[in-house]
Amino acid sequence: MGRWTCCPCSRVADSLMLLLVLALSSNPSTAATASPSAPHIKPSYSFGRTFLGLDKCNACIGTSICKKFFKEEIRFDTWLSSHLKLPPSYLLSYSGNYTDDAKSWRLVDITRLTSKYRHDRADKRICTSLLKTKTCSLERALRRTHRFQKWLRAKRLTPDLVQGLSSPMLRCPSQRLLDRIVRRYAEVPDAGSIYMDHLTDQDKLRLLYTLSVNSHPILLQIFPDVEGWPFPRYLGSCGRLVVSASTRPLRDFYGAAPEVAADLALQLLAILRFMGTNDLNYFFYFTHVDAGTFGVFSNGHLFIRDASTLGIIDKEEGSQMIDGQQEYKDIFSCLTVDCQSAFVSCNSIREKHSLIMVCQELLPKLLKGKFLQPVQEKIDSFLQHCTDGLTDDQGVNEEVAKLAELLKPLRSCDSRFAYRYPDCKYSDKY
């Protein structure tokens, strides 16, 4: 009797199990829900130390923002795809996204201070010229140099420690400028001191290497945007990559509407005026300008996007390095440029220098054929006069003022120019 009552129960149980299996197999979503959940595997972005340049530290820029990369709080645009591949390492710059809270993201520029090809050539030059080998420990090789040994012993960054470096910023250095570099160097904990006691040996090598390759990130650090300087914000470095606030290059605006072109041209003139006359008494000049030198933020504000070609003359202290001293050259003088390159004399720089370059290279592409006559004719006449070299330094400000007066009525006041809107509605300044 017990056996007869057990069998039907067993058969019923088997039937129910069969029905359940069939139901689950016909409804994948139900099966997935019913089955134990598999552990979630987070996609991982494979950072090679080579891609970042960390394998070359401490012959690199810094490590202050590396955690952001590895925590995926800095992402390249290509990471938004399903492939999650890093972009090619040979590119000079990348568009990226940055977050502090994993919810809101903002655009950033991720750049190399020079191309990977030039970096590789420089690395090879270090090994072959210093150790006579094809490959070597870059840090060990650079540590042996006479210049770096002087840096290790130095308590303060002085002109003789940077003589012969190719950066335009250091061709006419003053002690006041060098003290500012040490005091505001952002790759180390802020000590606020002009003495290098708070810099480790590794910190000193990174600072020297950065100044030797490209002074762009140093300029962003010592003249920050929050103090009114026309540079994008420096966010940090990792290996040989630098992260800063994103701007669109000026070349993207050559075909812009007349009112946009007029606004950008006025901002260009204002930057040149500010770089020549500012509260700190530094005179900034360009050694080269092109369509990528300046950039525009999303609010329409124009900034210096690439500061690598900026020279600085201290109008308060003057240069503490005579031109003859600049001829000193060593391996640090040749990391990114030809060692035979001649230095520009500090005494040869004139106030009109940068304005002429901007007139030759940028303003015609912004302003040609944009406006009605007779305004366009007057603008073209000024640009031709400026391109030809103007007359003397005393007339530069007057000439700039003339062009500014022509351009001011041509710009508009609307939300496209968020950096000055709606202030322009209620101010005669605009």
Side-chain angles (χ1 to χ4, degrees), residues 4 16 37 217 231 423:
W4 180 83
L16 287 173
S37 57
F231 301 108
D423 295 348

Side-chain angles (χ1 to χ4, degrees), residues 75-124:
R75 299 183 176 184
F76 294 89
D77 274 353
T78 53
W79 284 10
L80 301 180
S81 71
S82 59
H83 299 295
L84 305 178
K85 291 181 179 178
L86 287 172
S89 60
Y90 59 80
L91 296 177
L92 195 57
S93 63
Y94 312 89
S95 179
N97 299 274
Y98 176 102
T99 186
D100 287 317
D101 56 16
K103 296 177 182 177
S104 57
W105 294 81
R106 52 184 165 152
L107 290 174
V108 292
D109 289 332
I110 305 168
T111 56
R112 300 183 187 277
L113 297 189
T114 187
S115 68
K116 190 173 184 303
Y117 170 73
R118 284 193 171 187
H119 267 312
D120 291 343
R121 280 187 62 190
D123 294 344
K124 185 176 180 181

Side-chain angles (χ1 to χ4, degrees), residues 216-394:
H216 170 78
I218 303 298
L219 273 159
L220 270 55
Q221 293 168 44
I222 67 176
F223 298 109
D225 65 311
V226 293
E227 295 179 5
W229 296 93
F231 301 108
R233 181 166 301 180
Y234 176 80
L235 298 173
S237 300
C238 184
R240 289 179 170 180
L241 291 180
V242 177
V243 184
S244 59
S246 177
T247 58
R248 289 176 60 192
L250 187 62
R251 70 171 67 89
D252 291 357
F253 296 85
Y254 284 164
E259 62 272 19
V260 175
D263 183 82
L264 293 174
L266 276 166
Q267 289 191 71
L268 263 175
L269 297 177
I271 284 179
L272 293 182
R273 189 161 52 246
F274 178 76
M275 302 309 264
T277 307
N278 52 73
D279 293 342
L280 292 185
N281 258 339
Y282 288 114
F283 172 67
F284 295 77
Y285 65 93
F286 287 100
T287 57
H288 171 79
V289 296
D290 57 36
T293 301
F294 294 89
V296 183
F297 284 125
S298 57
N299 65 358
H301 207 171
L302 183 79
F303 276 66
I304 297 174
R305 189 172 189 253
D306 179 3
S308 64
T309 63
L310 271 178
I312 303 178
I313 295 175
D314 191 334
K315 295 197 292 185
E316 189 172 299
E317 284 191 4
S319 171
Q320 296 189 17
M321 183 183 292
I322 60 174
D323 289 336
Q325 288 178 297
Q326 294 178 344
E327 297 306 318
Y328 173 85
K329 293 192 176 127
D330 64 357
I331 190 65
F332 289 100
S333 311
C334 315
L335 291 184
T336 57
V337 297
D338 180 3
C339 280
Q340 305 306 314
S341 300
F343 288 114
V344 177
S345 169
C346 300
N347 297 323
S348 67
I349 306 300
R350 297 289 178 265
E351 188 177 341
K352 63 184 179 181
H353 183 86
S354 295
L355 177 61
I356 292 173
M357 296 178 76
V358 168
C359 285
Q360 291 173 339
E361 300 296 330
L362 304 180
L363 288 178
K365 295 168 184 174
L366 263 180
L367 302 176
K368 285 284 188 182
K370 289 287 177 71
F371 310 102
L372 299 175
Q373 300 297 355
V375 174
Q376 185 69 59
E377 184 178 352
K378 292 178 181 179
I379 292 173
D380 292 344
S381 175
F382 170 86
L383 292 179
Q384 187 59 54
H385 177 51
C386 180
T387 299
D388 291 341
L390 298 173
T391 50
D392 53 39
D393 287 343
Q394 283 67 40

